[in-house]
Amino acid sequence: MAKVVTFTNQKGGVGKTTTCASICGCLTELGKSVLAIDLDPQGNLSFSLGGDNALESYTMYNALKGQVELYDIIQHTEICDVAPADITLSAAELELTSVGREHILKEQIDSIADSYDYILIDTPPALSVLTINAYVASDWLVVPMIPEILSLQGFSQMKETIFAIKKYYNKMLEVRGILLNQYNSRLILTKEVEELAGMIAAQLETDVFDQKITTSVSIAEAPAHGKTINLYAPRSKSAKEFHKITREIFGITEK
């Protein structure tokens, strides 16, 4: 049975999609079978992993609407398997109104979970029905953020939603940790935000991950080439950082 992990933060621009894509690539290099589910109507994760989210293709919108099974939309790429999304997914917020709509994604994932070691979900920067579906279906949440006050505020506002999901829908949901992106230890603000993030993490009975991801041009360039950082610049500092954070998140020891 696959471990289901959602990357989430209602604040945009925190490196959520890049983090999810990069960790998919690292897990594949470690010999794991991985499915990446794109729940963001922008479709950036699909693009970053080499998926095809053309309008004639079936996407997560069709799966969530029950028009096809999740298995029917999965694409096989060089990096991992991808369940793509496109702009049509933005209609789901208005169209998914039936009783039990919070469990639609979980039911779809349960049907294919035995085929993978890990299923990673990228969510939109909003607490929508899509995000709630991801939380209900997940074992773990990973919260990427950058060392800025607004990024921290976005996570603080997520707490009530996480507590509600655990109480009413998914008692096993665990916040695996907070991942700091665009990290620069020389800045005073970085240290201050890191301390505040640690306080919020304690309230959720989790931690800030030891491994941080520093600012890098390579990380920004990789998606434009349809590659993850470990394929685009395998010997870079960023690639090494993502391999380390992947091992830390999933408890994979280095041989």
Side-chain angles (χ1 to χ4, degrees):
M1 182 69 72
K3 177 74 72 174
V4 183
V5 184
T6 288
F7 293 79
T8 181
N9 193 326
Q10 74 174 72
K11 175 74 170 62
V14 298
K16 178 170 50 61
T17 300
T18 301
T19 298
C20 183
S22 298
I23 291 177
C24 284
C26 291
L27 286 170
T28 297
E29 282 197 351
L30 290 169
K32 308 299 181 182
S33 57
V34 181
L35 171 64
I37 295 179
D38 194 346
L39 275 191
D40 190 338
Q42 297 179 79
N44 290 335
L45 180 67
S46 310
F47 178 81
S48 298
L49 294 173
D52 179 14
N53 53 1
L55 291 177
E56 64 270 15
S57 302
Y58 286 129
T59 66
M60 282 304 302
Y61 171 79
N62 304 104
L64 292 175
K65 287 285 290 181
Q67 298 168 352
V68 295
E69 298 298 319
L70 182 57
Y71 176 83
D72 297 321
I73 73 168
I74 292 174
Q75 301 174 1
H76 309 288
T77 75
E78 177 187 9
I79 301 167
C80 65
D81 284 0
V82 180
D86 62 14
I87 193 62
T88 59
L89 190 57
S90 60
E93 183 70 25
L94 297 176
E95 296 180 12
L96 297 179
T97 57
S98 60
V99 175
R101 65 176 186 162
E102 299 87 358
H103 297 272
I104 295 173
L105 180 61
K106 177 174 172 52
E107 292 171 357
Q108 289 278 14
I109 286 177
D110 286 347
S111 68
I112 51 90
D114 289 337
S115 301
Y116 297 96
D117 296 316
Y118 298 104
I119 296 175
L120 274 56
I121 305 173
D122 184 33
T123 53
L127 291 177
S128 64
V129 66
L130 298 173
T131 306
I132 291 172
N133 261 266
Y135 288 9
V136 173
S138 293
D139 301 300
W140 292 345
L141 302 181
V142 172
V143 185
M145 60 173 288
I146 57 178
E148 295 179 0
I149 294 300
L150 292 180
S151 177
L152 187 66
Q153 184 182 27
F155 179 45
S156 180
Q157 294 169 350
M158 289 169 53
K159 289 191 299 181
E160 290 185 9
T161 301
I162 293 171
F163 287 141
I165 295 296
K166 290 185 69 171
K167 182 176 181 180
Y168 296 109
Y169 299 111
N170 183 3
K171 291 180 171 58
M172 303 305 292
L173 182 65
E174 175 186 340
V175 181
R176 185 71 180 91
I178 300 173
L179 171 60
L180 290 177
N181 280 321
Q182 300 180 27
Y183 187 81
N184 187 343
S185 60
R186 293 174 293 180
L187 298 179
I188 295 176
L189 178 61
T190 297
K191 290 297 183 182
E192 292 177 346
V193 172
E194 185 175 359
E195 291 177 5
L196 291 171
M199 294 170 61
I200 294 177
Q203 296 175 26
L204 291 169
E205 299 181 348
T206 189
D207 298 294
V208 178
F209 290 115
D210 292 331
Q211 180 62 52
K212 316 297 191 295
I213 306 300
T214 54
T215 303
S216 168
V217 174
S218 297
I219 293 177
E221 292 175 342
H225 297 268
K227 294 183 177 181
T228 56
I229 186 65
N230 55 305
L231 289 177
Y232 178 71
R235 298 185 179 181
S236 65
K237 178 183 178 183
S238 298
K240 295 176 181 177
E241 289 175 344
F242 271 111
H243 268 291
K244 289 179 179 178
I245 190 60
T246 299
R247 292 182 183 279
E248 184 176 354
I249 290 172
F250 296 98
I252 301 172
T253 56
E254 190 166 2
K255 294 182 181 179

